[in-house]
Amino acid sequence: MAKTAREQSTFPLGAVMLAASVGSWAQGIPGEQTLKPVTVIEKAEAPQGKEALQTKKTTIGKGNQDIRDIPQSITVITEKLIDDVKLDTLRDALHYTAGITFAATENGTDQDIRLRGFPIATTGDLMIDGMRDPSQYDRDTFNIERVEVMRGSASMLFGRGSTGGVVNQVSKKPLLADQTDVVGTVGTGGYYRTTADFNIRTGETSALRINAMYNKAGNGGANIDKRGIAPSFSWGLDTADEFTVGLFYLKSNNIPMAAVRYVNGDLARVRPGDFYGTTADFANGEATYVHGAWKHAFANGGELRTQLRSGVFDRAQWSTAVGACGATPTAAGTCPAGAPVVTSLNPATFLTRSGLTPRKDRYKATYAQSDYSQSFNAMGFKHELMAGVDASREEAERFQTNGSTLGIRPATQVGTPDNGAGLIGTGLGPQWRNSSGYSAKAVGVYAQDMIHVAPAWKLLGGVRYDSFKGDFEQLNYAAGAAGALTSVTRTHLSNSPWSYRAGVLYQPSPTQSYHVSYGTSFNTSADTYQFVTPQTANTPPEKSRNLEIGAKLDWLGGALSTRGAIFRTEKFNERTTDADFAATTFLLSGKRHTSGLELDVVGRLTPKWEIYGSYTWIPVARIDALGSAQAASVGARVGLTPRHSGALWASYQVDSKLRIAAGAHGASENRPLQGTSGAESTTARVPAYVVADAMVEYKFTPDVYVQLNVNNLTDKAYGDQLYPGFTVLGAKRQVLATLGVRY
């Protein structure tokens, strides 16, 4: 069997001869003597978070740092939690951290993520290894070692966006070990998934790692069909110069879950997982990028990390939304005029089917960054300096339908989900034409210093300057499917904002860290890569700030870590509309803020009990000021911001072979946005929910195991992704059986 958790190696000949000579001299025996072989047993390198829910390190703050030394709230979802709960996608993983909600868009896409009540995905606050990952594609976890969530403003580190926080996906990287993991899972709904993780040590300081995935599921009509591969090669590992190059490819041809319109302003009580879409629905995506990294360690202890990533991302989606109808729908698939209002559903209730706005886009993005870190003494204090520069070039093309008839989705009934319906009429689906274009360049420079002013006190200060320039075009066509291009509206945007970060840490012992921090962020008009007009181009960036007081404490000899924080996140310079200025510019007169409490616990209560918990309470989420066109929403609560949200996972090691675990995630009542003000809807809501999950694992040997998961134990129907007119329900109950082998 290949060497895995432990490796054997024999001392070089010179070392053996030296040992023999020393042994002979010490005993006064002639040197010519036969010795037993000298063998060293060493632990192979293990991926961080592979064997535990707890980790005390993070790379989200630029470089590999102790979480206790970062004066902001950080939650880490390790690979063990991902594997335990079977969190196949990034959205699944984020269900297990509190304070995050998901907004559906008018296209039904699900990548609009909210953290502390502020959007993070549409502004590019999703990261891969600390660099922006802006496109909206179906992010899978097969190549993710862990997911790191930093809460609060962070533009000083990452540039534009970062108001509510950032989410960093840490890629799996080559290790100096020979190890292969093959995992196969089958489950209800025609589900099967295979992942393979090959790590091959190719030399003393080099290794090759290949991660691959294939996933397919029937899921009652909402189908999954995706595959991915991510090879990477490293050399110079554990030397002064480490290099890594790699490729990532992910392709999906899915049929998305249909959206369900609200019934009497409430969540429609259809069964979770029932698919009411059509055979014409699709959600196709392709992500391809290459990446490289170089880490250089200087003799004085300094370190320089340089990364490059360049890729192309394609996505196209067209899906269905169903609505209740109190009478037989018309031949056009719509509810007839004067039909009674539906207040509750039964199997005979008619459902109209309507197509959401088709969407297609292509992104091209190249990112480069270098970060330098150095510890030194100056002016009587120890300094921990970080400084860096990053640059990006982004291009985007978006497409719209060409005005042709798309076809009609036939109506159905609640009792007949997935009836195999397709389009009727003359339309065969979307026919595309270019609608808008985007090209931008950005450069950022930052510097940060942490000063040890006393044995238990540290002061942090940082500043960043960004230069952003973008060109946008909107293509306008004459009416009709054959409408010719009539004009192109071009807009140029240029912003050069500053960002700041400050903090105080008090660490009276290795197990205690208390902090107060302040940070700023900014959002340009280009943060959605689309909505840039002459008016918004004339508007400076929005600005936000975050104030946080928190503590990070370790218990039980470091086996258990807890985190708590009180925060206030405020956007104090928000774009608003005003009738007097609508023709030339928007105003920056808007204000909103959220305030709340966050708690995390992770680690071992005993050698047998392991626990992970995350909880957020946001009692205040308020619109403080808006322009005259939206003034009616002042004082309202911010949408997509439930007061309570949380997740819990606990496992118990019954004996050396058997482990059982259970957990849950959920939120209190949630409401979608209403209009453009960001206020919560007064007419639509989804009720509070708790979704329970469970797992049993049995290890035949340390390298062969079986695992049984039941997710959504009670088959709970809950609103997962919210839009003003509809919601997309969460996944139904699923039973999964897994066999894993390591060799």
Side-chain angles (χ1 to χ4, degrees), residues 572-610:
F572 60 91
N573 215 13
E574 185 176 20
R575 283 184 292 273
T576 64
T577 56
D578 191 291
D580 293 336
F581 299 94
T584 58
T585 185
F586 284 82
L587 300 181
L588 291 175
S589 59
K591 294 182 180 180
R592 72 181 63 197
H593 79 278
T594 62
S595 298
L597 168 71
E598 295 169 337
L599 299 172
D600 279 2
V601 57
V602 61
R604 293 191 177 276
L605 296 171
T606 71
K608 291 180 176 291
W609 276 104
E610 193 172 17

